[in-house]
Amino acid sequence: MFYSKIKAVGAYVPEYTVTNDDLSKIVDTNDEWISSRSGIRRRHFSKGENTSDLAAKAAEVILKKAGVKAEDVELIVVASVSPDYATPSVSCLVQSKIGAVNAVAFDIGAACSGFVFGLSTADKFIKSGVYKNALVIGSEVLSKYLDFEDRGTCVLFGDGAGGAFLERSEEGGILSEDMGSDGARGLSLTSGFRNVVNPYCEGERFIHSYIEMDGREIFDFATRTVPKSVEALIEKAGISVEDIDIVVPHQANARIVQIVARKLKIPMEKFYLNMEEYGNTSSASIPIALNEMDNKGLIKKGDTVLITGFGAGLTWGSMLIKF
Ligand code: 4VN
């Protein structure tokens, strides 16, 4: 029986930052409203780099930190809800950009849970002996899906990419996971809808590109579901909350994290938050946070880290990782 272990984490975010004050010049909002309700103060927006460009740059950082050559990568999984194209996949574009000529590459669509779902998928390939390693990346250019006339959503999201290199190991690594989906509630957070129009099915073209969110619904979902998922995970792993050294939640909203922390009776000091700087970058938010912590020396070898993603689908996924 094999396990998978994270050998390196890395990230890349576009350089250009937009503050809440900057946004208040183009949409009816203000810094006080945004920061008090979400914890977000700035976000990075792409000035032209697309999702695969961010992902490829993150991949190069990850491989450099891991000391691994691109041609030795066996699997590339990219999680994204803002791909350059419907096809080819972001992962195939990344494969080409970094020269990972021997890798199998495919994408996963699980929104803000995408990085956790991607790690879980790669873990199964490694555990079963199919592949020895995998590059798992979350990458988003959400700015191209933002309606800058909707003050309820455009202030919340940002662009960026991050990921991890997983390798077969004698010991875990990825210790346990809890994932779930509730498609029945999926329409409370949507983007990129296109109806069917063709020569045999005529009608009006109806495209809903932009992110549309029932904020109250998603807020309630997150504060109810995440604590349950973490409790289920802890139970499966046979540990107690005190054994968790660090919690890295999806960086959607600081108030949600505070409610989750209170429900789980885990002190806020154990939670790492950086939505202040990046906003909500969906699938990229957890690996960007992991990379930042790694660069600051905040994750030590042997630490037990809990990551938890939750969002569109609706989907959620929590995972315990020993570094
Ligand atoms: C997970 C979550 C969110 C999210 C939901 C609601 C929300 C973020 C609504 C109330 C509003 C402040 C902002 Cl929990 C989004 C995603 C998508 O990635 C995933 N903010 N808010 C207010 O009026 O206080």
Side-chain angles (χ1 to χ4, degrees), residues 33 37-38 112 152 156-157 189 213 215-216 218-219 222 250 252-253 255-256 280 282 310-312:
W33 192 94
R37 282 162 189 262
S38 71
C112 312
L156 299 174
F157 297 92
L189 176 48
M213 177 170 82
R216 192 71 254 162
I218 302 297
F219 198 100
H250 169 47
N253 185 311
R255 277 169 52 223
I256 289 170
N280 177 350
S282 192
F310 46 89

PDB file of all heavy atoms in Angstrom, residues 33 37-38 112 152 156-157 189 213 215-216 218-219 222 250 252-253 255-256 280 282 310-312, ligand 1:
ATOM      1  N   TRP A  33     -17.615  48.598   3.892  1.00  0.00           N
ATOM      2  CA  TRP A  33     -18.594  47.528   3.618  1.00  0.00           C
ATOM      3  C   TRP A  33     -17.876  46.231   3.262  1.00  0.00           C
ATOM      4  O   TRP A  33     -18.133  45.174   3.849  1.00  0.00           O
ATOM      5  CB  TRP A  33     -19.540  47.937   2.469  1.00  0.00           C
ATOM      6  CG  TRP A  33     -20.733  47.031   2.341  1.00  0.00           C
ATOM      7  CD1 TRP A  33     -21.960  47.223   2.911  1.00  0.00           C
ATOM      8  CD2 TRP A  33     -20.803  45.779   1.630  1.00  0.00           C
ATOM      9  NE1 TRP A  33     -22.787  46.166   2.600  1.00  0.00           N
ATOM     10  CE2 TRP A  33     -22.115  45.262   1.822  1.00  0.00           C
ATOM     11  CE3 TRP A  33     -19.909  45.040   0.862  1.00  0.00           C
ATOM     12  CZ2 TRP A  33     -22.547  44.055   1.265  1.00  0.00           C
ATOM     13  CZ3 TRP A  33     -20.332  43.827   0.312  1.00  0.00           C
ATOM     14  CH2 TRP A  33     -21.642  43.352   0.523  1.00  0.00           C
ATOM     15  N   ARG A  37     -17.490  42.952   6.010  1.00  0.00           N
ATOM     16  CA  ARG A  37     -18.331  41.787   5.712  1.00  0.00           C
ATOM     17  C   ARG A  37     -17.585  40.597   5.133  1.00  0.00           C
ATOM     18  O   ARG A  37     -18.119  39.497   5.098  1.00  0.00           O
ATOM     19  CB  ARG A  37     -19.435  42.187   4.725  1.00  0.00           C
ATOM     20  CG  ARG A  37     -20.547  42.923   5.403  1.00  0.00           C
ATOM     21  CD  ARG A  37     -21.363  43.675   4.370  1.00  0.00           C
ATOM     22  NE  ARG A  37     -22.304  44.549   5.038  1.00  0.00           N
ATOM     23  CZ  ARG A  37     -23.584  44.235   5.242  1.00  0.00           C
ATOM     24  NH1 ARG A  37     -24.065  43.091   4.825  1.00  0.00           N
ATOM     25  NH2 ARG A  37     -24.373  45.088   5.857  1.00  0.00           N
ATOM     26  N   SER A  38     -16.352  40.827   4.647  1.00  0.00           N
ATOM     27  CA  SER A  38     -15.646  39.709   4.000  1.00  0.00           C
ATOM     28  C   SER A  38     -14.205  39.541   4.449  1.00  0.00           C
ATOM     29  O   SER A  38     -13.618  38.477   4.244  1.00  0.00           O
ATOM     30  CB  SER A  38     -15.662  39.911   2.477  1.00  0.00           C
ATOM     31  OG  SER A  38     -14.806  40.985   2.132  1.00  0.00           O
ATOM     32  N   CYS A 112     -14.671  25.863  -5.650  1.00  0.00           N
ATOM     33  CA  CYS A 112     -13.805  26.186  -4.508  1.00  0.00           C
ATOM     34  C   CYS A 112     -13.304  24.943  -3.785  1.00  0.00           C
ATOM     35  O   CYS A 112     -12.374  25.022  -2.987  1.00  0.00           O
ATOM     36  CB  CYS A 112     -14.545  27.087  -3.538  1.00  0.00           C
ATOM     37  SG  CYS A 112     -15.329  28.453  -4.375  1.00  0.00           S
ATOM     38  N   GLY A 152     -22.532  43.039  -5.173  1.00  0.00           N
ATOM     39  CA  GLY A 152     -22.575  41.908  -4.230  1.00  0.00           C
ATOM     40  C   GLY A 152     -21.553  40.832  -4.544  1.00  0.00           C
ATOM     41  O   GLY A 152     -21.200  40.036  -3.674  1.00  0.00           O
ATOM     42  N   LEU A 156     -15.739  40.453  -4.274  1.00  0.00           N
ATOM     43  CA  LEU A 156     -15.351  39.301  -3.449  1.00  0.00           C
ATOM     44  C   LEU A 156     -14.246  38.437  -4.054  1.00  0.00           C
ATOM     45  O   LEU A 156     -13.601  37.669  -3.346  1.00  0.00           O
ATOM     46  CB  LEU A 156     -16.568  38.402  -3.186  1.00  0.00           C
ATOM     47  CG  LEU A 156     -17.744  39.038  -2.427  1.00  0.00           C
ATOM     48  CD1 LEU A 156     -18.916  38.051  -2.377  1.00  0.00           C
ATOM     49  CD2 LEU A 156     -17.333  39.441  -1.018  1.00  0.00           C
ATOM     50  N   PHE A 157     -14.055  38.515  -5.373  1.00  0.00           N
ATOM     51  CA  PHE A 157     -13.208  37.522  -6.048  1.00  0.00           C
ATOM     52  C   PHE A 157     -11.907  38.100  -6.585  1.00  0.00           C
ATOM     53  O   PHE A 157     -11.781  39.300  -6.780  1.00  0.00           O
ATOM     54  CB  PHE A 157     -14.004  36.855  -7.177  1.00  0.00           C
ATOM     55  CG  PHE A 157     -15.213  36.090  -6.685  1.00  0.00           C
ATOM     56  CD1 PHE A 157     -16.460  36.707  -6.604  1.00  0.00           C
ATOM     57  CD2 PHE A 157     -15.094  34.777  -6.267  1.00  0.00           C
ATOM     58  CE1 PHE A 157     -17.579  36.011  -6.135  1.00  0.00           C
ATOM     59  CE2 PHE A 157     -16.201  34.071  -5.805  1.00  0.00           C
ATOM     60  CZ  PHE A 157     -17.448  34.691  -5.737  1.00  0.00           C
ATOM     61  N   LEU A 189     -25.211  29.361  -6.872  1.00  0.00           N
ATOM     62  CA  LEU A 189     -23.921  29.968  -7.263  1.00  0.00           C
ATOM     63  C   LEU A 189     -23.537  29.439  -8.638  1.00  0.00           C
ATOM     64  O   LEU A 189     -23.165  28.276  -8.783  1.00  0.00           O
ATOM     65  CB  LEU A 189     -22.840  29.629  -6.208  1.00  0.00           C
ATOM     66  CG  LEU A 189     -21.402  30.089  -6.454  1.00  0.00           C
ATOM     67  CD1 LEU A 189     -21.325  31.557  -6.856  1.00  0.00           C
ATOM     68  CD2 LEU A 189     -20.570  29.863  -5.203  1.00  0.00           C
ATOM     69  N   MET A 213     -24.490  34.901  -7.512  1.00  0.00           N
ATOM     70  CA  MET A 213     -24.486  34.202  -6.227  1.00  0.00           C
ATOM     71  C   MET A 213     -25.600  34.698  -5.315  1.00  0.00           C
ATOM     72  O   MET A 213     -25.797  35.899  -5.171  1.00  0.00           O
ATOM     73  CB  MET A 213     -23.121  34.416  -5.532  1.00  0.00           C
ATOM     74  CG  MET A 213     -23.050  33.776  -4.149  1.00  0.00           C
ATOM     75  SD  MET A 213     -21.393  33.769  -3.450  1.00  0.00           S
ATOM     76  CE  MET A 213     -21.298  35.432  -2.791  1.00  0.00           C
ATOM     77  N   GLY A 215     -25.831  35.130  -1.978  1.00  0.00           N
ATOM     78  CA  GLY A 215     -24.839  35.188  -0.898  1.00  0.00           C
ATOM     79  C   GLY A 215     -25.314  34.577   0.410  1.00  0.00           C
ATOM     80  O   GLY A 215     -24.582  33.844   1.081  1.00  0.00           O
ATOM     81  N   ARG A 216     -26.589  34.859   0.760  1.00  0.00           N
ATOM     82  CA  ARG A 216     -27.167  34.363   2.013  1.00  0.00           C
ATOM     83  C   ARG A 216     -27.170  32.819   2.025  1.00  0.00           C
ATOM     84  O   ARG A 216     -26.778  32.180   2.980  1.00  0.00           O
ATOM     85  CB  ARG A 216     -28.597  34.916   2.112  1.00  0.00           C
ATOM     86  CG  ARG A 216     -29.328  34.798   3.412  1.00  0.00           C
ATOM     87  CD  ARG A 216     -28.782  35.720   4.481  1.00  0.00           C
ATOM     88  NE  ARG A 216     -28.033  34.940   5.450  1.00  0.00           N
ATOM     89  CZ  ARG A 216     -27.159  35.444   6.309  1.00  0.00           C
ATOM     90  NH1 ARG A 216     -26.907  36.738   6.311  1.00  0.00           N
ATOM     91  NH2 ARG A 216     -26.531  34.685   7.154  1.00  0.00           N
ATOM     92  N   ILE A 218     -25.332  30.719   0.234  1.00  0.00           N
ATOM     93  CA  ILE A 218     -23.988  30.125   0.265  1.00  0.00           C
ATOM     94  C   ILE A 218     -23.361  30.313   1.638  1.00  0.00           C
ATOM     95  O   ILE A 218     -22.680  29.419   2.164  1.00  0.00           O
ATOM     96  CB  ILE A 218     -23.095  30.733  -0.850  1.00  0.00           C
ATOM     97  CG1 ILE A 218     -23.730  30.514  -2.225  1.00  0.00           C
ATOM     98  CG2 ILE A 218     -21.704  30.136  -0.827  1.00  0.00           C
ATOM     99  CD1 ILE A 218     -23.885  29.055  -2.634  1.00  0.00           C
ATOM    100  N   PHE A 219     -23.611  31.468   2.227  1.00  0.00           N
ATOM    101  CA  PHE A 219     -23.124  31.746   3.582  1.00  0.00           C
ATOM    102  C   PHE A 219     -23.678  30.697   4.560  1.00  0.00           C
ATOM    103  O   PHE A 219     -22.938  30.096   5.343  1.00  0.00           O
ATOM    104  CB  PHE A 219     -23.575  33.154   3.978  1.00  0.00           C
ATOM    105  CG  PHE A 219     -22.824  33.752   5.131  1.00  0.00           C
ATOM    106  CD1 PHE A 219     -21.807  34.668   4.906  1.00  0.00           C
ATOM    107  CD2 PHE A 219     -23.150  33.413   6.441  1.00  0.00           C
ATOM    108  CE1 PHE A 219     -21.121  35.243   5.975  1.00  0.00           C
ATOM    109  CE2 PHE A 219     -22.470  33.981   7.501  1.00  0.00           C
ATOM    110  CZ  PHE A 219     -21.451  34.898   7.272  1.00  0.00           C
ATOM    111  N   ALA A 222     -22.183  27.204   3.920  1.00  0.00           N
ATOM    112  CA  ALA A 222     -20.801  27.057   4.387  1.00  0.00           C
ATOM    113  C   ALA A 222     -20.743  26.913   5.910  1.00  0.00           C
ATOM    114  O   ALA A 222     -20.044  26.036   6.430  1.00  0.00           O
ATOM    115  CB  ALA A 222     -19.965  28.252   3.924  1.00  0.00           C
ATOM    116  N   HIS A 250     -10.764  27.397   2.678  1.00  0.00           N
ATOM    117  CA  HIS A 250     -10.998  28.193   1.462  1.00  0.00           C
ATOM    118  C   HIS A 250     -11.215  29.643   1.891  1.00  0.00           C
ATOM    119  O   HIS A 250     -11.963  29.918   2.835  1.00  0.00           O
ATOM    120  CB  HIS A 250     -12.226  27.644   0.735  1.00  0.00           C
ATOM    121  CG  HIS A 250     -12.704  28.517  -0.361  1.00  0.00           C
ATOM    122  ND1 HIS A 250     -11.851  29.063  -1.292  1.00  0.00           N
ATOM    123  CD2 HIS A 250     -13.951  28.971  -0.673  1.00  0.00           C
ATOM    124  CE1 HIS A 250     -12.554  29.802  -2.130  1.00  0.00           C
ATOM    125  NE2 HIS A 250     -13.826  29.766  -1.777  1.00  0.00           N
ATOM    126  N   ALA A 252     -12.884  32.362   1.359  1.00  0.00           N
ATOM    127  CA  ALA A 252     -14.044  33.031   0.763  1.00  0.00           C
ATOM    128  C   ALA A 252     -14.455  34.253   1.565  1.00  0.00           C
ATOM    129  O   ALA A 252     -14.832  35.281   1.003  1.00  0.00           O
ATOM    130  CB  ALA A 252     -15.215  32.067   0.649  1.00  0.00           C
ATOM    131  N   ASN A 253     -14.389  34.134   2.889  1.00  0.00           N
ATOM    132  CA  ASN A 253     -14.989  35.170   3.724  1.00  0.00           C
ATOM    133  C   ASN A 253     -14.539  34.959   5.175  1.00  0.00           C
ATOM    134  O   ASN A 253     -14.737  33.872   5.725  1.00  0.00           O
ATOM    135  CB  ASN A 253     -16.522  35.041   3.592  1.00  0.00           C
ATOM    136  CG  ASN A 253     -17.259  36.143   4.309  1.00  0.00           C
ATOM    137  OD1 ASN A 253     -16.974  36.432   5.466  1.00  0.00           O
ATOM    138  ND2 ASN A 253     -18.198  36.755   3.623  1.00  0.00           N
ATOM    139  N   ARG A 255     -15.681  36.122   7.946  1.00  0.00           N
ATOM    140  CA  ARG A 255     -16.765  35.911   8.931  1.00  0.00           C
ATOM    141  C   ARG A 255     -17.215  34.463   8.942  1.00  0.00           C
ATOM    142  O   ARG A 255     -17.548  33.903   9.986  1.00  0.00           O
ATOM    143  CB  ARG A 255     -17.942  36.842   8.632  1.00  0.00           C
ATOM    144  CG  ARG A 255     -17.722  38.247   9.214  1.00  0.00           C
ATOM    145  CD  ARG A 255     -18.757  39.236   8.696  1.00  0.00           C
ATOM    146  NE  ARG A 255     -20.118  38.769   8.877  1.00  0.00           N
ATOM    147  CZ  ARG A 255     -21.087  38.876   7.962  1.00  0.00           C
ATOM    148  NH1 ARG A 255     -20.832  39.433   6.798  1.00  0.00           N
ATOM    149  NH2 ARG A 255     -22.287  38.444   8.229  1.00  0.00           N
ATOM    150  N   ILE A 256     -17.227  33.845   7.753  1.00  0.00           N
ATOM    151  CA  ILE A 256     -17.588  32.426   7.683  1.00  0.00           C
ATOM    152  C   ILE A 256     -16.577  31.606   8.484  1.00  0.00           C
ATOM    153  O   ILE A 256     -16.954  30.723   9.252  1.00  0.00           O
ATOM    154  CB  ILE A 256     -17.656  31.958   6.206  1.00  0.00           C
ATOM    155  CG1 ILE A 256     -18.882  32.581   5.539  1.00  0.00           C
ATOM    156  CG2 ILE A 256     -17.689  30.434   6.111  1.00  0.00           C
ATOM    157  CD1 ILE A 256     -18.956  32.413   4.049  1.00  0.00           C
ATOM    158  N   ASN A 280     -11.314  36.075  -2.904  1.00  0.00           N
ATOM    159  CA  ASN A 280     -11.650  34.664  -3.079  1.00  0.00           C
ATOM    160  C   ASN A 280     -11.157  34.218  -4.460  1.00  0.00           C
ATOM    161  O   ASN A 280     -11.686  34.653  -5.470  1.00  0.00           O
ATOM    162  CB  ASN A 280     -13.177  34.538  -2.953  1.00  0.00           C
ATOM    163  CG  ASN A 280     -13.695  33.137  -3.188  1.00  0.00           C
ATOM    164  OD1 ASN A 280     -12.970  32.255  -3.634  1.00  0.00           O
ATOM    165  ND2 ASN A 280     -14.964  32.939  -2.894  1.00  0.00           N
ATOM    166  N   SER A 282     -11.215  31.027  -5.469  1.00  0.00           N
ATOM    167  CA  SER A 282     -11.817  29.708  -5.700  1.00  0.00           C
ATOM    168  C   SER A 282     -10.791  28.585  -5.518  1.00  0.00           C
ATOM    169  O   SER A 282     -10.190  28.470  -4.465  1.00  0.00           O
ATOM    170  CB  SER A 282     -12.489  29.681  -7.084  1.00  0.00           C
ATOM    171  OG  SER A 282     -13.294  28.524  -7.205  1.00  0.00           O
ATOM    172  N   PHE A 310     -14.997  24.677   0.019  1.00  0.00           N
ATOM    173  CA  PHE A 310     -16.468  24.620  -0.020  1.00  0.00           C
ATOM    174  C   PHE A 310     -16.952  25.701  -0.973  1.00  0.00           C
ATOM    175  O   PHE A 310     -16.394  26.786  -1.014  1.00  0.00           O
ATOM    176  CB  PHE A 310     -17.044  24.853   1.390  1.00  0.00           C
ATOM    177  CG  PHE A 310     -16.412  26.016   2.114  1.00  0.00           C
ATOM    178  CD1 PHE A 310     -16.917  27.299   1.992  1.00  0.00           C
ATOM    179  CD2 PHE A 310     -15.279  25.836   2.895  1.00  0.00           C
ATOM    180  CE1 PHE A 310     -16.318  28.379   2.641  1.00  0.00           C
ATOM    181  CE2 PHE A 310     -14.665  26.921   3.539  1.00  0.00           C
ATOM    182  CZ  PHE A 310     -15.183  28.185   3.411  1.00  0.00           C
ATOM    183  N   GLY A 311     -17.961  25.378  -1.761  1.00  0.00           N
ATOM    184  CA  GLY A 311     -18.481  26.387  -2.681  1.00  0.00           C
ATOM    185  C   GLY A 311     -19.389  25.797  -3.742  1.00  0.00           C
ATOM    186  O   GLY A 311     -20.162  24.867  -3.477  1.00  0.00           O
ATOM    187  N   ALA A 312     -19.242  26.326  -4.968  1.00  0.00           N
ATOM    188  CA  ALA A 312     -20.199  26.044  -6.033  1.00  0.00           C
ATOM    189  C   ALA A 312     -20.305  24.551  -6.321  1.00  0.00           C
ATOM    190  O   ALA A 312     -19.367  23.779  -6.140  1.00  0.00           O
ATOM    191  CB  ALA A 312     -19.822  26.813  -7.287  1.00  0.00           C
TER     192      ALA A 312
HETATM  193  C1  4VN B   1     -17.967  29.947  -0.390  1.00  0.00           C
HETATM  194  C2  4VN B   1     -18.538  31.048   0.173  1.00  0.00           C
HETATM  195  C3  4VN B   1     -18.757  32.232  -0.555  1.00  0.00           C
HETATM  196  C4  4VN B   1     -19.375  33.446   0.019  1.00  0.00           C
HETATM  197  C5  4VN B   1     -20.708  33.459   0.334  1.00  0.00           C
HETATM  198  C6  4VN B   1     -21.307  34.615   0.828  1.00  0.00           C
HETATM  199  C7  4VN B   1     -20.565  35.763   0.982  1.00  0.00           C
HETATM  200  C8  4VN B   1     -18.679  34.603   0.219  1.00  0.00           C
HETATM  201  C9  4VN B   1     -22.581  37.008   1.522  1.00  0.00           C
HETATM  202  C10 4VN B   1     -23.062  37.980   2.533  1.00  0.00           C
HETATM  203  C11 4VN B   1     -22.395  39.318   2.335  1.00  0.00           C
HETATM  204  C12 4VN B   1     -20.890  39.194   2.400  1.00  0.00           C
HETATM  205  C13 4VN B   1     -20.390  38.189   1.412  1.00  0.00           C
HETATM  206 CL1  4VN B   1     -18.959  30.940   1.776  1.00  0.00          CL
HETATM  207  C14 4VN B   1     -18.412  32.220  -1.873  1.00  0.00           C
HETATM  208  C15 4VN B   1     -17.853  31.100  -2.424  1.00  0.00           C
HETATM  209  C16 4VN B   1     -17.508  31.090  -3.834  1.00  0.00           C
HETATM  210  O1  4VN B   1     -16.173  30.860  -3.960  1.00  0.00           O
HETATM  211  C17 4VN B   1     -17.596  29.969  -1.685  1.00  0.00           C
HETATM  212  N1  4VN B   1     -19.253  35.712   0.686  1.00  0.00           N
HETATM  213  N2  4VN B   1     -21.129  36.937   1.428  1.00  0.00           N
HETATM  214  C18 4VN B   1     -22.943  40.261   3.414  1.00  0.00           C
HETATM  215  O2  4VN B   1     -23.869  41.005   3.130  1.00  0.00           O
HETATM  216  O3  4VN B   1     -22.461  40.215   4.549  1.00  0.00           O
END
